[in-house]
Amino acid sequence: MIQIQQLRKQFGEKVAVDIDNFHIKKGDMLGLVGNNGAGKTTLFRLILDLLNADTGDVQLTFNPTTQPEHPVATLQPTALCVNPALSEEWKQYTGAYIDEGFLIDFLTPDEYFAFIARVCGVPEVELEERLKPYQNFMAGELLGQKKLIRDLSAGNKQKVGIVAALINRPQLLILDEPFNFLDPTSQHQLKQLLGEYHRQYGATMLISSHNIDHTTHISTRIALMENGRILQDIDNHHHEATEILARYFNVEPRDMVEQLSIPPQPTTSETPRETTSPSYMPLTPPPYDPNRMP
């Protein structure tokens, strides 16, 4: 499914990714773990052709004869093999969500899902059916609310991005820190949702997370990254990775979530935070409060 060869990306003196040879098989649920700056997001961006590699390349293989309504079958002789930097054919078989930059924040979730469906060639009458499996995950807070994406909480923005990545029923799904900003109920629902999607369609999934508990729970394979390199490739069909990662990060298995998870982030749009709003959408300053300390 994914073949990485001599892939290298450097930012100044910092080597972000340096992978000689790594193969991700069809149907793998690969969890990518590592400390901040390990190179996880950069690797995803290279695979998705959002960054140009300094050297090396990525090859993606898909089965174009597989119908989205049926499980992904064993690759046929007609398999499509592409370098994402040289062709755009791979996009119709791929779903991904990296960060809020993937969203169009002046649309409502309904409008954004409809836009993604049109881009992916999904008929409007079929979109509602494709969204049905994710109704519990959306919790009645996204569809039909007439609320712009930019006004949603951080958790609901995350949900919009994840659901949108699944609309085209991809053979390859890439999610960067998908559990961020989600409440515990939504995190549990997401694990179930991803597991069910994998069982139904046999998709290849790449998921990164600082939450080792979530990653080891859903992944059949773990890649441990540090300083841009893959240090260990761990079979996790029977959750073997938990003890290995605990030893590497020098924590007790039960403490991994607390010590390695990202600190809590603001989850409502009312909380001031960094914004990427376009320059033509002026930001409204907070009301003047004479009692507020400078």
Side-chain angles (χ1 to χ4, degrees):
M1 170 59 79
I2 303 177
Q3 181 65 50
I4 298 171
Q5 293 182 315
Q6 306 298 320
L7 191 65
R8 184 180 177 90
K9 181 65 180 179
Q10 190 166 335
F11 299 102
E13 298 298 319
K14 169 69 174 177
V15 176
V17 168
D18 187 6
I19 301 174
D20 289 334
N21 186 36
F22 190 62
H23 179 67
I24 301 168
K25 300 185 295 295
K26 180 188 74 68
D28 273 349
M29 291 188 72
L30 179 72
L32 202 60
V33 301
N35 290 311
N36 290 332
K40 304 183 297 296
T41 300
T42 301
L43 176 58
F44 283 172
R45 290 185 176 276
L46 289 168
I47 293 173
L48 294 169
D49 192 35
L50 298 174
L51 285 174
N52 294 323
D54 296 332
T55 60
D57 60 37
V58 175
Q59 295 290 330
L60 306 178
T61 304
F62 302 98
N63 184 0
T65 64
T66 299
Q67 296 299 319
E69 290 74 21
H70 302 289
V72 178
T74 303
L75 292 178
Q76 303 298 317
T78 56
L80 172 68
C81 184
V82 296
N83 181 335
L86 303 177
S87 169
E88 295 193 353
E89 292 182 270
W90 58 276
K91 293 184 177 180
Q92 61 185 306
Y93 307 106
T94 304
Y97 183 66
I98 303 297
D99 56 34
E100 288 185 21
F102 277 49
L103 305 176
I104 304 176
D105 67 358
F106 55 82
L107 299 180
T108 65
D110 299 81
E111 293 169 337
Y112 182 64
F113 293 151
F115 169 76
I116 295 297
R118 287 195 299 272
V119 170
C120 296
V122 176
E124 184 177 350
V125 294
E126 190 178 333
L127 176 59
E128 182 178 354
E129 188 68 25
R130 294 203 178 195
L131 292 176
K132 280 184 179 178
Y134 316 124
Q135 293 292 344
N136 287 341
F137 181 59
M138 292 187 285
E141 298 178 343
L142 300 184
L143 298 180
Q145 301 303 303
K146 300 186 183 302
K147 194 172 185 180
L148 300 181
I149 291 175
R150 65 169 175 252
D151 296 325
L152 298 176
S153 68
N156 279 337
K157 288 179 182 177
Q158 190 84 340
K159 291 181 180 182
V160 170
I162 293 168
V163 172
L166 291 162
I167 284 176
N168 67 332
R169 292 179 179 163
Q171 294 182 30
L172 171 62
L173 178 66
I174 298 178
L175 300 175
D176 191 21
E177 301 289 353
F179 299 100
N180 276 7
F181 311 118
L182 299 182
D183 58 63
T185 298
S186 297
Q187 290 177 347
H188 177 70
Q189 290 173 332
L190 178 58
K191 286 190 286 187
Q192 290 185 316
L193 181 158
L194 294 175
E196 179 57 33
Y197 185 85
H198 182 263
R199 284 188 292 272
Q200 184 173 1
Y201 297 108
T204 303
M205 297 185 180
L206 278 61
I207 299 169
S208 75
S209 179
H210 285 86
N211 189 313
I212 308 301
D213 178 63
H214 292 325
T215 309
T216 55
H217 184 269
I218 65 174
S219 303
T220 57
R221 183 180 174 191
I222 299 290
L224 172 60
M225 286 193 73
E226 194 64 55
N227 296 322
R229 299 175 181 270
I230 295 178
L231 299 185
Q232 287 187 271
D233 183 3
I234 311 166
D235 186 300
N236 192 50
H237 281 86
H238 303 289
H239 305 289
E240 302 94 326
T242 301
E243 292 294 335
I244 296 173
L245 296 177
R247 288 197 300 271
Y248 177 80
F249 291 110
N250 195 29
V251 295
E252 292 295 326
R254 63 178 178 273
D255 297 331
M256 286 199 293
V257 175
E258 289 80 2
Q259 295 196 29
L260 296 176
S261 297
I262 294 178
Q265 301 292 321
T267 57
T268 61
S269 56
E270 288 77 15
T271 303
R273 61 189 183 88
E274 184 179 349
T275 180
T276 55
S277 299
S279 58
Y280 59 80
M281 292 194 295
L283 300 176
T284 303
Y288 174 70
D289 181 357
N291 298 316
R292 183 172 62 87
M293 295 295 290

